[in-house]
């Protein structure tokens, strides 16, 4: 929808229109489309825990495809808001989070580079606007939506490639060793946080009790079988009963675990969650504003609309290359990943604060390139930084809750920028607002050392308690 709005605004300027077209309304629609991709984060986390990432991704593919196909029958704007805004947005939330969590399971040493490669195609979405225009010119908007639905249906076989992987859990001694070395290694090696440790202890106890119950019932089945061995056709029959009994208790354990995760609020006791969510919220609030207003600002400066469209193309290509380079650099582990992330956010803020001084096409192109470099740098590191701060045991819930709050920011960002334009009749206020949000988003990462010291003291207290009990 963002590309369609960009195309609609471009056509408006080609026809001689001044300023943004339906600025508040289109900004609200852009924010609505983006926020639906973030707000269902907690729901996505629960569904992925129940069904697995592959099943959730396949479901998402059908949601996106169904949204486009049903939109071909649309007769009103509210109808399109549901079929082309809500359904594809909800599907995008499932697709993004499932793929992101699977990536964290597949890769450890090269997580930043693999994440950058996986999401680098997002920088090339500017190609969708001319591609959609060609489809509309050839087949009309109804045929274009049907073809887009057919294209997105290819997400089903690609989702089937998300093979489940089972991570071997570490022993308590390993977790304690990692907790004791927190100050030397940083949060990326500290899986033994308060939240993750509590969750692992609960899940371990749950599994042990389940196995004990399954074992007791299995013994009773064995006794009854030995008394009637000829009737029950040998030991295979007994193993079948035992397996069935264990599966029934396993399903009950999974159901209880999902109920616990649904009402789990332990993340709100984790300071790293607040650090990441603050940064994620403000950076998403700021990101869409320059992207949405770039071409419109170029038009108000008297730049030809065709030249202005090159800005979007250059930004997309530069952002793609920047993500890959940023991921490779971060994986070298010269410094902690959150330092790179923090630096990119600060540079994005400074670049946007300087954007109003770009009043010619060469200066505007310079701003576009630098902003694309810095934004691509921090976008590639969102997931690796999240993993470093959260630990793999809570990635789903960590990302889901953080995405929920970021969705609120995405919903409010474009309308706020539109209101600033209506109030000032200039785009400088929007870029100043974006730059300020970027600078504020980097502030929380300065508190990571304090959170590390808090975690270290918590680990020591837990070790002391274990020694006293021993």
């Amino acid at each position: 929808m963002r590309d369609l709005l960009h195309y609609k605004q471009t056509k408006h300027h080609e026809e001689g229109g001044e300023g943004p077209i339906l600025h508040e309304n289109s900004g609200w629609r852009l924010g609505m489309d983006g926020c639906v991709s973030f707000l269902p984060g907690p729901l996505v986390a629960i569904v992925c825990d129940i069904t697995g990432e592959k099943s959730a991704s396949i479901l998402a593919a059908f949601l996106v495809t169904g949204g486009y196909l049903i939109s071909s029958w649309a007769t009103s704007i509210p109808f399109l808001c549901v079929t082309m805004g809500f359904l594809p947005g909800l599907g995008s939330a499932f697709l993004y989070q499932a793929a992101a969590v699977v990536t964290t399971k597949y890769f450890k040493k090269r997580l930043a580079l693999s994440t950058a490669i996986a999401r680098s195609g997002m920088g090339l979405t500017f190609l969708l606007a001319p591609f959609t225009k060609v489809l509309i010119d050839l087949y009309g908007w109804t045929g274009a939506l049907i073809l887009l639905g057919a294209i997105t249906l290819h997400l089903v076989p690609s989702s089937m490639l998300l093979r489940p992987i089972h991570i071997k859990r570490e022993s308590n001694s390993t977790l304690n060793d990692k907790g004791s070395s927190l100050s030397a290694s940083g949060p990326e090696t500290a899986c033994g946080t308060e939240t993750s440790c509590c969750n692992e202890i609960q899940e371990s106890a749950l599994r042990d009790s389940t196995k004990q119950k399954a074992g007791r019932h299995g013994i009773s089945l064995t006794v009854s079988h030995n008394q009637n061995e000829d009737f029950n056709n040998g030991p295979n029959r007994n193993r079948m009963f035992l397996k069935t009994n264990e599966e029934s208790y396993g399903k009950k354990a999974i159901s209880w675990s999902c109920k616990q995760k649904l009402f789990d609020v332990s993340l709100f006791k984790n300071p790293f969650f607040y650090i990441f969510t603050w940064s994620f919220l403000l950076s998403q609030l700021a990101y869409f504003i320059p992207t949405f207003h770039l071409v419109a600002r170029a038009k108000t400066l008297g730049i030809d609309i065709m030249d202005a469209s090159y800005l979007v193309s250059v930004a997309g290509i530069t952002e793609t290359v920047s993500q890959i380079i940023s991921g490779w650099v971060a994986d070298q582990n010269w410094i902690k990943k959150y330092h790179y992330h923090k630096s990119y956010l600060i540079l994005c803020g400074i670049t946007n604060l300087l954007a109003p001084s770009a009043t010619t096409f060469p200066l505007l192109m310079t701003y576009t390139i630098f902003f694309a470099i810095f934004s691509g740098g921090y976008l590639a590191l969102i997931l690796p930084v999240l993993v470093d701060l959260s630990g793999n045991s809570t990635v789903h819930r960590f990302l889901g809750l953080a995405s929920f709050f970021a969705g609120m920011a995405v919903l409010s960002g474009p309308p706020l920028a539109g209101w600033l334009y209506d109030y000032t009749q200039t785009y400088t206020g929007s870029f100043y607002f974006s730059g300020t949000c970027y600078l504020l988003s980097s502030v929380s990462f300065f508190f990571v050392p304090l959170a590390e010291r808090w975690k270290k003291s918590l680990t020591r207290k837990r070790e002391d308690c274990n020694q006293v009990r021993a």
Side-chain angles (χ1 to χ4, degrees):
M1 182 173 285
R2 178 177 62 188
D3 298 292
L4 294 178
L5 287 173
H6 169 66
Y7 166 70
K8 190 174 182 181
Q9 184 166 326
T10 303
K11 291 293 291 181
H12 170 69
H13 290 311
E14 286 177 350
E15 295 169 359
E18 296 294 335
I21 175 172
L22 297 176
H23 208 302
E24 287 185 346
N25 190 28
S26 58
W28 179 84
R29 282 182 287 167
L30 174 61
M32 191 67 181
D33 176 61
C35 81
V36 175
S37 300
F38 287 97
L39 282 176
L43 174 64
V44 176
I46 295 170
V47 173
C48 287
D49 282 335
I50 296 174
T51 65
E53 289 82 8
K54 182 171 73 172
S55 300
S57 185
I58 293 173
L59 171 64
F62 284 117
L63 284 174
V64 176
T65 301
Y68 281 122
L69 293 179
I70 298 174
S71 296
S72 63
W73 302 328
T75 56
S76 63
I77 295 299
F79 190 97
L80 279 175
C81 287
V82 176
T83 59
M84 200 171 175
F86 178 75
L87 291 180
L90 182 62
S92 299
F94 277 86
L95 287 169
Y96 171 74
Q97 189 162 330
V101 174
V102 167
T103 303
T104 64
K105 293 180 179 180
Y106 283 178
F107 301 95
K108 292 291 181 284
K109 186 177 180 180
R110 296 287 181 262
L111 176 60
L113 180 59
S114 60
T115 302
I117 295 174
R119 62 168 298 136
S120 60
M122 297 179 67
L124 301 178
T125 54
F126 69 92
L127 296 174
L128 290 178
F131 176 69
T132 305
K133 179 182 181 302
V134 172
L135 292 181
I136 293 175
D137 292 340
L138 292 177
Y139 305 104
W141 67 271
T142 304
L145 287 172
I146 294 175
L147 288 174
L148 289 174
I151 293 172
T152 55
L153 192 61
H154 288 80
L155 291 169
V156 174
S158 64
S159 298
M160 292 180 179
L161 299 176
L162 301 180
R163 297 175 58 189
I165 183 172
H166 302 285
I167 301 174
K168 183 179 179 181
R169 290 193 177 273
E170 301 174 7
S171 62
N172 291 332
S173 60
T174 306
L175 290 174
N176 291 333
D177 292 340
K178 286 191 173 184
S180 61
S181 60
L182 177 63
S183 60
S185 302
E188 61 270 15
T189 60
C191 296
T193 63
E194 178 187 22
T195 303
S196 60
C197 279
C198 292
N199 291 335
E200 290 181 7
I201 292 171
Q202 290 175 359
E203 292 174 3
S204 177
L206 187 62
R207 287 196 304 270
D208 292 341
S209 61
T210 303
K211 288 180 180 178
Q212 291 174 1
K213 291 179 181 179
R216 287 197 299 268
H217 287 267
I219 292 172
S220 65
L221 285 171
T222 303
V223 172
S224 64
H225 163 72
N226 290 334
Q227 294 173 352
N228 302 279
E229 185 173 359
D230 294 334
F231 179 78
N232 288 329
N233 298 324
N236 292 332
R237 180 94 174 163
N238 173 64
R239 284 195 292 268
M240 182 185 68
F241 281 137
L242 177 59
K243 183 178 180 181
T244 304
N245 203 19
E246 288 179 347
E247 288 178 351
S248 64
Y249 276 94
K251 290 179 181 179
K252 292 179 180 179
I254 292 173
S255 176
W256 173 248
S257 177
C258 292
K259 289 179 180 178
Q260 284 183 322
K261 291 174 181 177
L262 179 62
F263 301 101
D264 181 34
V265 293
S266 59
L267 278 178
F268 293 104
K269 302 177 183 178
N270 189 343
F272 290 108
F273 173 74
Y274 293 101
I275 290 172
F276 178 82
T277 302
W278 170 271
S279 176
F280 192 40
L281 185 152
L282 290 175
S283 61
Q284 290 298 320
L285 175 64
Y287 175 72
F288 287 98
I289 295 173
T291 303
F292 188 56
H293 286 172
L294 185 59
V295 174
R297 171 167 169 75
K299 178 64 179 179
T300 59
L301 295 174
I303 299 173
D304 183 72
I305 190 64
M306 290 303 296
D307 292 336
S309 63
Y310 293 144
L311 296 173
V312 180
S313 303
V314 171
I317 296 172
T318 306
E319 184 178 297
T320 299
V321 177
S322 174
Q323 288 189 61
I324 297 176
I325 296 176
S326 173
W328 179 85
V329 171
D331 279 333
Q332 304 310 306
N333 292 323
W334 293 322
I335 59 176
K336 296 177 182 178
K337 294 182 179 65
Y338 80 88
H339 288 306
Y340 290 112
H341 192 71
K342 175 177 62 177
S343 301
Y344 288 132
L345 291 173
I346 293 173
L347 291 172
C348 281
I350 295 173
T351 304
N352 278 286
L353 291 177
L354 295 175
S357 61
T359 55
T360 63
F361 180 75
L363 290 176
L364 206 56
M365 179 63 75
T366 303
Y367 155 77
T368 301
I369 292 173
F370 277 97
F371 177 68
I373 292 173
F374 300 142
S375 62
Y378 89 82
L379 288 172
L381 299 181
I382 289 177
L383 189 60
V385 170
L386 180 146
V387 172
D388 290 349
L389 297 181
S390 68
N392 283 334
S393 60
T394 58
V395 168
H396 258 316
R397 282 170 286 168
F398 206 100
L399 180 59
L401 278 177
S403 298
F404 173 78
F405 293 108
M408 298 180 182
V410 174
L411 177 63
S412 58
L416 280 174
W419 176 82
L420 286 173
Y421 174 83
D422 292 335
Y423 185 76
T424 62
Q425 291 301 307
T426 179
Y427 289 103
T428 57
S430 300
F431 285 92
Y432 284 139
F433 177 71
S434 176
T436 303
C437 288
Y438 270 123
L439 292 178
L440 291 175
S441 69
S442 66
V443 171
S444 62
F445 286 108
F446 288 97
F447 294 95
V448 170
L450 292 176
E452 289 178 1
R453 287 196 290 270
W454 170 84
K455 186 176 295 184
K456 183 179 178 180
S457 64
L458 187 67
T459 303
R460 288 178 177 175
K461 290 180 181 178
R462 186 163 53 246
E463 292 176 351
D464 293 340
C465 291
N466 292 335
Q467 291 177 358
V468 171
R469 292 175 182 177

